[in-house]
Amino acid sequence: MNMRRIVIFFIISLFYFLLTCSSQPIYKDSEQPVEKRIADLLRRMTVEEKVHQLLHYGGLREDSFAANGDLIDSAAVHYLGRSVGFAGLDKHKLLPRQHARYSNYIQKFMVEKSRLGIPCIFLSEGLHGYMARGATSFPQAIALASTWDTTLVERVYAAAAREARACGSQQFLSPVIDLGREPRWGRFEETFGEDPYLVARMGLAAVYGFQGRSLPIAPDHVAATLKHFAGHGQPEGGRNTAPVNFSERIFRESHLYPFEVAVKIGRARSIMASYNEWDGVPNHINKKLLVDILRGEWGFDGYVMSDGGGLYDLIRVHYVAGTATQAGKMALEAGIDKELGAFKGCFLPLIDKVRAGEVSQADIDRAAANVLRVKFELQLFEHPYIDVAAVDTIVNSPEHRALALRAAEKAVILLKNEGNLLPLDSLRIKTLAVIGPNAADIHLGGYSPVPMRGTSVLDGMRQFAAGRFKISYAGGCKITTNPVCH
């Protein structure tokens, strides 16, 4: 009798074992809760794979692929095969359909060739619309803020998200919700202005546009990245990386307020730390800011990323770290989950430090979990590929161009119109002077794709005046140019 029971128990156990082995892993089961999927995937990952989830590999070009789509770049095969978390293509050279096709090639490699089949995230800028060749150019953030129309702003950013997702990008490094309070600071145009309430409402509208109003994130939306956390828009002396000198009360009531709204209400999935320091501590290693306030008080459960080269600034600007590895360790322990910048930067050396017991495995697990959470919420495991054939009907569609025009028209501000001077009566004009260094060129804001078409103020006036009156133009003063960027 005992032997019979043993045999029955053995058969049942064997059946259960075979059933378990044949079923798909929990992390691939979309019916399972996200936290359960994260825990299952983490326990399967090596230290090397976990650290690679925190890295961005951006060295991919057209010649990285064979004609059939196979990845043939040996360095890319090496690093992507270790489950790199983020990848990048040169969107400025590729047309939308090309970017979509190469994105699929990369995701196919990630899903089929990496050990655990973890898809990667493609990052893009979304300040001016989707920053890619051929995409729709929407008005800059400071112009959108002047519309005072959060519904319109949400529609604009939703359209930008659709274009990005259609081409294979799943996350925008936008919106910028710094308060623009230092006119010498060269990034004022990226902000929604100086008022905390206006910036908070516009920032929330942007998050809703990018991500939608609920989780998980739909296949035609992207994850938003709030930046720059925090106080970046009022640096001492107007310098981009300079400290901010505020009491905690002023800092919270003004500069942190838009972020708090976007996190608590909008549930933004990513935040970018700022280059500056607050209260004498660089924000990339400011645990009070990144952990105590952001996660402890606000309940943020997305991931925190560094700004480009921000970890190296701990060495060369803030002088708080002596080596790249030390900078990476300090940032990880303070709450940074992903490094943006050089691939072989400050986080990659942490693999050896974990194995040597000098970096906590728990910190690596925390960072990897935060990145994976966003991937699950983006539904990348269920929808890693995109429909290349649909790209041309979405990117720069007539609907999106009409929306861009409506937003631009509503963004126009008229400060004065003394004596009802405007609109000018073309029948009474003989000669009209157009003056200024900005009149003859097409000017888009920062993080803009190369415009497909456009009309300068001077050309627009000449077209309007043709056969009616004369246009005289003088450039006047010169604008200082950056020899690096010019």
Side-chain angles (χ1 to χ4, degrees):
M1 187 66 179
N2 289 337
M3 180 59 70
R4 184 181 178 185
R5 288 180 178 175
I6 292 173
V7 171
I8 293 173
F9 176 78
F10 176 77
I11 292 173
I12 293 174
S13 299
L14 179 62
F15 176 77
Y16 179 78
F17 174 76
L18 293 174
L19 182 65
T20 303
C21 290
S22 62
S23 63
Q24 69 174 343
I26 292 174
Y27 77 91
K28 290 187 176 182
D29 184 356
S30 62
E31 299 299 318
Q32 297 291 334
V34 168
E35 296 307 312
K36 191 173 181 180
R37 298 177 75 182
I38 293 171
D40 179 64
L41 183 50
L42 277 178
R43 70 177 180 83
R44 300 170 186 270
M45 298 173 72
T46 65
V47 171
E48 187 177 26
E49 288 168 336
K50 291 174 182 176
V51 172
H52 275 74
Q53 278 297 304
L54 319 180
L55 306 177
H56 180 270
Y57 188 83
L60 293 160
R61 306 174 305 276
E62 291 184 71
D63 58 7
S64 298
F65 307 93
N68 65 354
D70 288 345
L71 189 61
I72 56 176
D73 183 311
S74 59
V77 169
H78 176 80
Y79 291 115
L80 269 64
R82 282 154 178 76
S83 296
V84 73
F86 302 79
L89 288 159
D90 190 344
K91 296 179 287 297
H92 305 293
K93 293 181 180 179
L94 300 177
L95 292 171
R97 285 177 66 93
Q98 292 175 305
H99 190 273
R101 185 168 68 252
Y102 291 130
S103 297
N104 278 346
Y105 291 162
I106 295 169
Q107 293 291 34
K108 186 173 187 293
F109 178 88
M110 299 301 300
V111 171
E112 297 181 4
K113 302 296 184 182
S114 67
R115 190 176 70 88
L116 294 169
I118 306 173
C120 61
I121 290 177
F122 289 88
L123 300 175
S124 296
E125 297 287 351
L127 188 67
H128 221 307
Y130 175 42
M131 185 182 171
R133 184 181 175 190
T136 307
S137 292
F138 292 96
Q140 181 60 287
I142 195 68
L144 290 175
S146 72
T147 67
W148 297 84
D149 188 339
T150 55
T151 301
L152 176 64
V153 169
E154 183 175 345
R155 288 183 59 204
V156 164
Y157 286 119
R162 282 196 295 274
E163 295 195 2
R165 201 70 188 263
C167 294
S169 294
Q170 304 92 6
Q171 181 174 342
F172 271 152
L173 301 182
S174 301
V176 174
I177 52 177
D178 301 310
L179 300 186
R181 290 186 167 181
E182 171 49 84
R184 294 171 296 177
W185 181 56
R187 305 179 68 172
F188 201 100
E189 63 175 26
E190 300 177 33
T191 76
F192 291 113
E194 64 181 11
D195 181 76
Y197 183 79
L198 175 62
V199 173
R201 304 334 285 183
M202 289 293 170
L204 181 61
V207 172
Y208 280 157
F210 287 151
Q211 295 186 176
R213 290 183 173 238
S214 62
L215 296 176
I217 298 172
D220 61 346
H221 284 76
V222 299
T225 304
L226 309 178
K227 61 185 199 182
H228 308 82
F229 195 58
H232 194 45
Q234 196 174 352
E236 292 185 347
R239 293 175 293 122
N240 196 45
T241 62
V244 293
N245 186 22
F246 310 117
S247 68
E248 183 166 342
R249 176 179 175 180
I250 294 298
F251 197 56
R252 284 177 177 270
E253 290 182 351
S254 296
H255 295 273
L256 294 190
Y257 175 68
F259 289 92
E260 184 177 6
V261 170
V263 168
K264 287 184 175 180
I265 302 177
R267 295 200 67 187
R269 307 318 295 141
S270 178
I271 284 184
M272 179 184 287
S274 55
Y275 289 124
N276 57 282
E277 59 187 58
W278 168 56
D279 200 22
V281 181
N283 287 347
H284 276 71
I285 56 169
N286 197 323
K287 194 169 184 178
K288 178 175 181 178
L289 185 63
L290 302 181
V291 177
D292 298 346
I293 295 175
L294 178 60
R295 296 192 186 276
E297 297 182 23
W298 300 350
F300 178 69
D301 61 352
Y303 74 83
V304 180
M305 64 189 300
S306 72
D307 203 341
L311 300 192
Y312 278 108
D313 280 358
L314 298 174
I315 304 170
R316 62 196 178 193
V317 175
H318 301 291
Y319 303 104
V320 295
T323 65
T325 304
Q326 185 181 9
K329 181 177 185 294
M330 294 173 70
L332 179 76
E333 292 173 348
I336 297 291
D337 300 311
K338 180 227 180 296
E339 179 178 9
L340 179 66
F343 180 75
K344 297 180 181 180
C346 301
F347 270 10
L348 189 61
L350 298 183
I351 296 172
D352 292 335
K353 294 300 178 181
V354 174
R355 291 171 176 161
E358 297 176 25
V359 168
S360 167
Q361 177 72 60
D363 284 334
I364 296 293
D365 285 358
R366 175 219 79 219
N370 289 335
V371 170
L372 292 172
R373 182 175 298 107
V374 176
K375 291 189 176 186
F376 284 123
E377 291 169 341
L378 281 164
Q379 305 182 71
L380 283 182
F381 287 82
E382 293 73 47
H383 306 288
Y385 308 118
I386 48 180
D387 182 3
V388 177
V391 171
D392 291 340
T393 64
I394 297 173
V395 178
N396 199 35
S397 65
E399 176 191 356
H400 290 177
R401 291 198 299 270
L403 180 61
L405 178 60
R406 171 173 168 74
E409 290 172 343
K410 195 161 187 180
V412 173
I413 301 171
L414 182 64
L415 297 180
K416 276 187 176 183
N417 192 19
E418 292 182 353
N420 293 318
L421 175 66
L422 299 178
L424 296 175
D425 185 352
S426 60
L427 298 178
R428 300 176 62 185
I429 300 173
K430 293 183 178 180
T431 302
L432 183 71
V434 178
I435 301 170
N438 287 324
D441 296 323
I442 300 170
H443 291 277
L444 295 179
Y447 295 108
S448 301
V450 176
M452 294 163 291
R453 64 184 184 86
T455 303
S456 68
V457 172
L458 179 60
D459 286 341
M461 294 299 296
R462 283 173 171 165
Q463 291 171 19
F464 178 80
R468 302 180 184 183
F469 53 86
K470 178 183 176 183
I471 293 290
S472 294
Y473 167 68
C477 65
K478 301 295 182 182
I479 297 178
T480 301
T481 58
N482 186 331
V484 176
C485 301
H486 186 58

